[in-house]
Amino acid sequence: MRITILLFARLRDVVGTPRLERDVAAGAKVEDVWAVLARECPAAAPHRAALSAAVNASYAKFSTPVADGDEVAFLPPVSGG
C-alpha cells in the first residue's frame, strides 16, 4: 500500500521534508508507518513519545489501521496561551 506521511514542526526539520510517500504492508497500522519513518531517519525515533497522529485529517491512535492512499500525519505537542 502506498501512503503519504505528513510531518510538522521539529519532526519536519529532523527528517528534512514535510511530506513523504512510502509503501507499507497490507494491514499496517499507524505504528507501522512510524516504524518505517524511524528506520529511515533514526534521528526521528526519540520524538515518538511526544507525538500525536492523524489519519486523513482525523486524530488517530497509533493502533489505527491505514489503507492504500491514506495520509498519516505525525503531530508535535501543541502549546498556546
Side-chain angles (χ1 to χ4, degrees), residues 34-66:
W34 175 257
V36 167
L37 180 65
R39 268 194 311 273
E40 186 175 310
C41 184
H47 296 273
R48 165 63 175 88
L51 296 175
S52 297
V55 175
N56 299 325
S58 294
Y59 280 105
K61 295 181 179 184
F62 276 71
S63 60
T64 301
V66 295

Side-chain angles (χ1 to χ4, degrees), residues 1-4 21-29 33 55-56 65-72:
M1 299 186 305
R2 190 81 167 166
I3 55 95
T4 300
E21 290 194 18
R22 295 294 180 267
D23 291 314
V24 295
K29 296 178 171 46
V33 176
V55 175
N56 299 325
V66 295
D68 188 47
D70 279 354
E71 283 187 339
V72 177

